[in-house]
Amino acid sequence: MGGVDEDGLISGLREEQLITNEEMDQIVKEAIDQAIGTNIFLHAKVNLWTSNVVEGVLKRLASLSKPFKYVVTCNFVQKTGSGMHTASTALWDAAVDGKHTVLWESQTIQCVVSVYWLAI
C-alpha cells in the first residue's frame, strides 16, 4: 500500500496528481446540475439524465489529465418518501485510489452518483 517514498511520491504519484473528495464533489454536482437543472422527476427523461450525468462527470475528469481510470455509476429515483439504500466496497491502494458518492436531491428527485478512481 502507498506511502511517501524517498522522492516524495505517494505510490508513484506527485501530490498534485491526486484527486480529493472535495474536487470530486464539485465535479459531480456540476454534472448533475447541468444535466437536470430545475426539472421535476419525469420517468421518460431518466435515461437521458443518467447518460448526461455519467458523460458529464467523465468529460470533466478527463479534462484534468490525471493518471487514473474512472468508473462512474448514477441512480435516479422519484422522491416519494420511501428509502433508497446502496452499498459498495473496494480493495485498493488507499493512498491514491478512491471512491466518492454524492447524494443530490430536489423536491421530486433523488440522484446518487458514485465515482471510483484507480491509479494507472
Side-chain angles (χ1 to χ4, degrees):
M1 295 273 187
V4 179
D5 66 15
E6 63 274 358
D7 295 323
L9 300 177
I10 303 165
S11 293
L13 299 177
R14 296 183 311 278
E15 187 172 352
E16 64 270 12
Q17 291 177 301
L18 301 177
I19 297 175
T20 66
N21 283 340
E22 294 79 17
E23 190 175 19
M24 194 61 72
D25 201 59
Q26 181 179 350
I27 288 168
V28 171
K29 287 180 179 177
E30 286 174 1
I32 295 170
D33 287 338
Q34 184 176 2
I36 300 171
T38 59
N39 285 302
I40 62 168
F41 185 87
L42 294 170
H43 182 68
K45 293 212 173 197
V46 170
N47 285 340
L48 176 64
W49 290 340
T50 302
S51 294
N52 288 345
V53 169
V54 169
E55 289 173 16
V57 170
L58 286 173
K59 284 179 184 175
R60 285 168 173 80
L61 291 170
S63 74
L64 298 176
S65 299
K66 295 195 177 193
F68 293 95
K69 290 184 179 184
Y70 303 100
V71 177
V72 180
T73 66
C74 179
N75 297 287
F76 280 97
V77 294
Q78 185 172 12
K79 193 172 179 182
T80 61
S82 61
M84 176 170 54
H85 302 274
T86 182
S88 63
T89 188
L91 178 62
W92 53 38
D93 184 347
V96 293
D97 301 332
K99 173 193 174 276
H100 186 67
T101 299
V102 174
L103 171 62
W104 181 94
E105 296 182 286
S106 71
Q107 292 284 65
T108 61
I109 302 169
Q110 285 185 319
C111 175
V112 177
V113 176
S114 293
V115 181
Y116 302 81
W117 57 98
L118 303 115
I120 51 176

